[in-house]
Amino acid sequence: MGSGLRAAMRPHPLFVREARGAHVWDLDGDRYVDYVMAWGPLVLGHSDPRILSAVSATATKMQVVGTGHALEYLAAEAVLEAVPHGERLLWSNTGTEAVQVALRLARAATGRRRVLKFAKSYHGWHDTVYAGMSENDGDQPAAPGGSGQSPSVLDDLVVARFNDVQLARRILNESVERDIAAVLIDPVMSNAGVEAPAPEFLSTLRTLCDRHGVVLIFDEVIAGFRIARGGAAEKYGVLPDLSVFGKAMAGGFTQSAVVGRAELIDQVTAGVVHAGTFNANPIALAAVEATMRALADPAVYETLEEISAEFDTVVGGALGSVPGRGSFNRVGSLLQYVPPGAATGLHGTGGLWTTILEGMLHHGFLFMPSGKVFLSTAHTTSDIQATADALEKLLRQS
């Protein structure tokens, strides 16, 4: 199987034979409005012709070549043009891999070993960061996120709480004593309830990292290029030392990147190992270049904001028409169902979501078990109105 999470989707995994725009078709030919969007990458929808054209043209010329090629630089230029703090770029394949590269760069630059992360935040499945996943893990020893993990690496993690300025200040004021090399943060907490940073939180982290010689890393694998063309740095006006990008950057193909300060990234030419047979493969980078060129049009983000606000208003209105049904948190085109008084998390959420998830699938609408909702420029007003109508009908029956 490709993913344990996908295999556990309720009421059963959906097998798709075709995907276009905002829709997927299952093996029986039934059509669904898709709010999964491949778990986030498809800002432009499925099978965008600009991306498919670029990929097709490249695939007939070369696949994986084991040498340099022009797309390494053309795609990098397209990404760096968008990112305010982008001086250099390293290509990788997945967000999990790129996070590990970024942490290695931070440790090499500082000579320290520990990483400050935030409770509930997901930075990939690797043992070194898949820990501290409970809301109560802040300012506690990091607990592994799942079985089979090595406990020996958990001493390298220090866990704070998102938007808790005082706790972050106390921990980072002890950076030398605690041996903290990096702060690793999802600036929007995308997998932990879609929580936006409080005013001054990111800027306070920036100030504290500068003061104590700590590398500030934004994990923008989900939020990057979805909430703004320049990612969190553009949206919130705070420049990290490094950002990790993926998902939306490649428009449905597999590629990730570490972007940031030249003196950090140039360490890969001076002893920091960064490797991978499929890093910067031509087909994926053709997709990256085409996607980033498409995202350079300001109309993309205007459309995303309009359709996402409409979903929040219309579908959220249907959800909120009866008290106690829950609501949506929203940052741009990223939303999260939040039940009243209940927690959200990477693997699922409480309240009515399981009922909604299963019922809406039967009505032809595909959502995620976690309660996250991804919009794209391919979604339309008619898709959203149909979603609201089906949800109202389902809620009347539940």
Side-chain angles (χ1 to χ4, degrees):
M1 66 183 70
S3 164
L5 289 178
R6 290 201 294 269
M9 287 187 73
R10 301 282 300 271
H12 54 77
L14 189 71
F15 286 81
V16 167
R17 74 178 188 189
E18 187 177 356
R20 293 195 310 274
H23 302 97
V24 296
W25 286 259
D26 68 14
L27 299 183
D28 294 323
D30 296 322
R31 193 188 79 161
Y32 302 81
V33 179
D34 182 14
Y35 292 110
V36 175
M37 288 286 114
W39 296 54
L42 300 173
V43 167
L44 302 172
H46 293 280
S47 305
D48 183 276
R50 293 163 292 187
I51 300 171
L52 293 184
S53 176
V55 167
S56 296
T58 299
T60 60
K61 298 175 184 176
M62 56 181 168
Q63 298 80 48
V64 176
V65 290
T67 68
H69 55 89
L71 278 165
E72 285 186 73
Y73 300 93
L74 295 173
E77 288 169 0
V79 173
L80 293 175
E81 180 184 296
V83 179
H85 56 289
E87 297 176 353
R88 294 281 196 279
L89 179 151
L90 292 176
W91 294 116
S92 192
N93 290 292
T94 68
T96 295
E97 292 175 28
V99 165
Q100 297 304 308
V101 174
L103 295 180
R104 183 171 285 182
L105 293 170
R107 289 184 172 111
T110 62
R112 302 173 187 168
R113 67 182 178 92
R114 288 198 171 97
V115 175
L116 174 63
K117 66 157 287 187
F118 297 85
K120 292 179 65 179
S121 61
Y122 178 74
H123 300 291
W125 53 262
H126 199 276
D127 285 6
T128 59
V129 289
Y130 188 48
M133 302 301 292
S134 165
E135 193 149 13
N136 299 320
D137 282 341
D139 204 23
Q140 300 290 329
S147 59
Q149 292 183 230
S150 171
S152 64
V153 297
L154 297 183
D155 186 51
D156 284 351
L157 278 183
V158 179
V159 184
R161 287 184 291 268
F162 191 72
N163 281 335
D164 188 334
V165 172
Q166 295 306 316
L167 178 57
R169 180 176 285 116
R170 176 167 65 80
I171 291 172
L172 288 172
N173 282 341
E174 302 168 355
S175 294
V176 174
E177 298 87 342
R178 289 178 177 255
D179 209 22
I180 295 175
V183 170
L184 176 63
I185 183 169
D186 177 350
V188 177
M189 290 293 276
S190 310
N191 272 316
V194 184
E195 184 178 355
E200 309 302 320
F201 181 61
L202 295 180
S203 60
T204 298
L205 292 179
R206 176 71 278 172
T207 298
L208 290 168
C209 286
D210 287 340
R211 182 179 301 160
H212 300 293
V214 176
V215 177
L216 179 60
I217 303 169
F218 282 1
D219 179 349
E220 304 192 58
V221 170
I222 292 178
F225 307 129
R226 176 168 279 282
I227 60 171
R229 180 178 176 236
E234 176 186 325
K235 187 170 182 66
Y236 299 112
V238 175
L239 304 185
D241 299 302
L242 297 171
S243 279
V244 177
F245 293 109
K247 293 189 185 286
M249 178 181 71
F253 287 77
T254 304
Q255 196 65 205
S256 63
V258 182
V259 176
R261 287 170 40 205
E263 64 266 31
L264 291 173
I265 290 180
D266 285 348
Q267 293 178 106
V268 297
T269 64
V272 173
V273 175
H274 166 246
T277 298
F278 294 98
N279 292 354
N281 76 83
I283 292 175
L285 291 194
V288 170
E289 186 192 21
T291 301
M292 294 307 300
R293 297 303 178 200
L295 296 182
D297 181 356
V300 168
Y301 292 99
E302 293 169 7
T303 299
L304 270 178
E305 177 59 27
E306 289 170 3
I307 204 69
S308 303
E310 186 174 2
F311 182 98
D312 198 13
T313 299
V314 177
V315 181
L319 181 64
S321 60
V322 177
R325 294 273 171 82
S327 61
F328 290 107
N329 287 347
R330 182 174 77 89
V331 176
S333 60
L334 173 61
L335 295 93
Q336 169 75 49
Y337 169 78
V338 181
T344 63
L346 175 65
H347 300 300
T349 188
L352 281 176
W353 189 250
T354 298
T355 301
I356 292 170
L357 179 72
E358 296 183 8
M360 291 298 282
L361 184 67
H362 291 303
H363 284 88
F365 300 89
L366 183 61
F367 287 96
M368 294 176 61
S370 65
K372 281 199 297 299
V373 179
F374 291 105
L375 275 296
S376 76
T377 58
H379 286 94
T380 65
T381 293
S382 60
D383 291 327
I384 288 171
Q385 189 58 58
T387 305
D389 292 344
L391 181 59
E392 287 180 348
K393 180 179 179 180
L394 175 65
L395 293 176
R396 285 196 300 267
Q397 296 169 349
S398 64

